[in-house]
């Protein structure tokens, strides 16, 4: 798969669901695992919520009963018919265009498995800080570069599975890059790791066949050593 820039996506109207056939029906692990609901309840969030890279609107629909205003931004409008009746949609290139909202206008901003696709993810951090009210919450998830299997692959090949020619992932967040970019604008409240999969399970299925080796489950504990992805819960000072 060749990387497709946001300019080309907009110009040729190439939506994410055309690049990845699973996007249309997928809901992210942070939503499906109840992490986003836990954050909303724990920090008593209501009012206005903004989902960045909102896609078909499934994330916003899953929390629609908790907020008075639902806002979504993406490069193209691919909202489902149900979401179109509930979500206030705006088109923006998250790499380079300012978010079309006023300062301190949002109580919660989410960006779930989106930021790793961006060419300019640090511009977005500044924009989120601008539109969040003081005390507002920013929840975002990205691939986890500290997974032990990923690190071993990097040692042997110089590449990691979440960042290959065959996907659209660009951002690689080391601890220090995270500190001098995102943590320059937000206080880190919590770090939640995805449950881990058994390393090499997919290779076993290729060798012995899918009928003999069943589909793996995410059964390893939440840990930076096993997780494929990580979710950060952050607060604007």
């Amino acid at each position: 798969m060749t990387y497709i820039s946001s300019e080309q996506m907009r110009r040729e109207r190439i939506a994410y669901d055309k690049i990845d056939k699973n996007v249309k029906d997928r809901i992210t692990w942070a939503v499906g695992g109840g992490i986003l609901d836990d954050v909303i309840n724990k920090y008593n969030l209501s009012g206005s919520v903004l989902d960045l890279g909102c896609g078909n609107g499934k994330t916003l629909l899953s929390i629609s009963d908790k907020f008075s205003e639902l806002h979504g931004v993406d490069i193209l409008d691919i909202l489902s018919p149900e979401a179109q009746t509930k979500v206030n949609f705006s088109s923006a290139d998250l790499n380079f265009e300012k978010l079309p909202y006023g300062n301190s206008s949002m109580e919660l901003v989410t960006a779930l498995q989106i930021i790793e696709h961006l060419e300019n993810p640090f511009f977005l951090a500044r924009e989120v800080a601008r539109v969040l009210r003081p005390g507002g919450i920013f929840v975002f998830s990205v691939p986890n570069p500290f997974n032990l299997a990923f690190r071993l692959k990097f040692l042997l090949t110089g590449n990691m599975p979440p960042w290959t020619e065959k996907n659209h992932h660009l951002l690689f967040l080391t601890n220090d890059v995270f500190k001098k970019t995102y943590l320059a604008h937000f206080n880190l409240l919590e770090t939640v790791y995805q449950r881990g999969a058994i390393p090499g399970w997919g290779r076993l299925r290729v060798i012995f066949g899918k009928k003999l080796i069943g589909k793996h489950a995410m059964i390893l504990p939440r840990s930076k050593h096993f997780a494929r992805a990580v979710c950060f819960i952050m607060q604007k000072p």
Side-chain angles (χ1 to χ4, degrees):
M1 178 188 297
T2 302
Y3 181 77
I4 300 175
S5 68
S6 55
E7 293 97 329
Q8 182 182 354
M9 292 177 68
R10 174 177 279 174
R11 183 176 63 252
E12 300 179 12
R13 298 196 59 79
I14 304 171
Y16 284 115
D17 64 335
K18 305 300 182 186
I19 299 170
D20 182 348
K21 301 302 182 183
N22 296 318
V23 166
K24 182 174 289 188
D25 298 314
R26 184 176 62 200
I27 196 160
T28 63
W29 66 275
V31 177
I35 295 167
L36 185 57
D37 277 338
D38 290 345
V39 169
I40 292 168
N41 294 331
K42 182 174 182 178
Y43 298 100
N44 194 29
L45 301 173
S46 59
S48 297
V49 56
L50 169 61
D51 185 33
L52 301 174
C54 63
N56 59 14
K58 275 198 169 185
T59 294
L60 288 168
L61 290 178
S62 73
I63 57 175
S64 61
D65 61 330
K66 298 177 172 64
F67 291 89
S68 58
E69 293 183 13
L70 305 176
H71 299 273
V73 169
D74 213 322
I75 191 75
L76 295 173
D77 184 354
I78 58 168
L79 290 177
S80 68
E82 181 183 2
Q84 288 176 0
T85 66
K86 298 181 179 181
V87 175
N88 300 302
F89 177 82
S90 295
S91 174
D93 185 337
L94 298 176
N95 288 295
F96 311 109
E97 296 177 358
K98 282 183 170 292
L99 296 174
Y101 306 100
N103 296 349
S104 303
S105 57
M106 298 293 165
E107 187 167 357
L108 171 65
V109 176
T110 60
L112 305 176
Q113 306 304 128
I114 293 298
I115 293 176
E116 66 270 23
H117 297 266
L118 301 181
E119 297 173 11
N120 194 1
F122 310 119
F123 168 78
L124 183 65
R126 297 190 293 272
E127 275 299 284
V128 173
R130 180 181 66 80
V131 303
L132 264 182
R133 67 165 177 79
I137 300 296
F138 179 31
V139 179
F140 78 93
S141 58
V142 291
N144 170 34
F146 304 109
N147 179 296
L148 289 178
F150 296 171
R151 295 165 76 175
L152 178 60
K153 184 74 174 287
F154 182 80
L155 178 66
L156 297 174
T157 69
N159 286 304
M160 285 190 177
W163 296 274
T164 71
E165 285 187 295
K166 296 183 179 181
N167 64 35
H168 276 238
H169 296 174
L170 297 177
L171 177 66
F172 184 92
L173 269 183
T174 65
N175 285 328
D176 285 348
V177 170
F178 186 45
K179 287 178 183 178
K180 63 186 180 183
T181 56
Y182 282 83
L183 293 187
H185 305 285
F186 304 97
N187 296 323
L188 180 61
L189 301 178
E190 301 177 50
T191 301
V192 182
Y193 292 95
Q194 186 182 29
R195 292 193 180 278
I198 298 174
W201 195 262
R203 192 173 298 276
L204 288 176
R205 299 187 82 200
V206 171
I207 296 172
F208 297 104
K210 295 181 179 180
K211 291 184 178 180
L212 183 63
I213 307 294
K215 188 175 181 180
H216 73 260
M218 310 295 277
I219 60 174
L220 298 182
R222 297 188 186 277
S223 165
K224 70 178 182 179
H225 300 303
F226 305 125
R228 295 186 63 87
V230 56
C231 184
F232 299 107
I233 295 92
M234 313 182 77
Q235 187 173 44
K236 179 179 175 179

